[in-house]
Amino acid sequence: MPVLMIATYNEDGSVDVMNAAWGMMLERNQVVLNLTETHKTVQNIKSRKAFTVSIADANHVVEADYFGVVSGNNTPHKFENSGMTATKSSLVDAPIINEFPICMECEFIEYQDQEYGCGVVGKVVNVSADEHVMKDDKIDISLVNAIAFDPFTHGYYKIGERVGNAFKDGLQLKK
């Protein structure tokens, strides 16, 4: 599961960040996050109508884990305690966490709370990436040092080596 950092602004304008391993792309320009309404972040998303999704990296695994084990409902200065910094997005009412290498800026679409609802759905309006993860004007995932969460062992693992070509390698078996 990808380790996603969901960032919002609290009602007082301070930064809130949570670790969400249960999220993915829904379509090319939409994300879905399986989050319950009890999260401070979800309350902020509904209030501000915006959020950012950053990809956590191995260099910041301690901070990423901290954002998952400490609740913004109980620790109002959670972000400040991390030592990280943020910049206000110019496109949505949400912060961009400066230390994470990739960030998707999102507009809130809806919250689904039916029995099989998926939680927060957002439209990606911009993707930004640090120059050090870019190659030939494209994001090179091998440079991101992204981490994934293993829910079976509760471990974080670094992602990076390309092992195949999507929509091409499988054609070898096509008859």
Side-chain angles (χ1 to χ4, degrees), residues 2-64:
V3 178
L4 307 174
M5 298 291 104
I6 314 307
T8 61
Y9 285 119
N10 292 312
E11 56 278 348
D12 65 359
S14 62
V15 175
D16 173 69
V17 183
M18 76 170 289
N19 178 323
W22 306 98
M24 68 181 111
M25 297 301 296
L26 182 61
E27 291 185 24
R28 182 173 282 281
N29 69 340
Q30 292 181 358
V31 295
V32 61
L33 306 170
N34 190 350
L35 306 175
T36 63
E37 289 184 278
T38 58
H39 290 291
K40 177 70 174 152
T41 304
V42 173
Q43 296 166 24
N44 292 343
I45 289 170
K46 291 171 109 180
S47 173
R48 298 282 186 146
K49 307 295 185 212
F51 58 99
T52 60
V53 179
S54 295
I55 306 297
D57 64 346
N59 296 336
H60 299 97
V61 70
V62 170
E63 294 88 347

Side-chain angles (χ1 to χ4, degrees), residues 10 12 14-15 66 70-72 74-82:
N10 292 312
D12 65 359
S14 62
V15 175
Y66 172 74
V70 175
S71 170
N74 305 323
T75 308
H77 302 291
K78 173 171 134 173
F79 183 69
E80 290 83 2
N81 294 345
S82 75

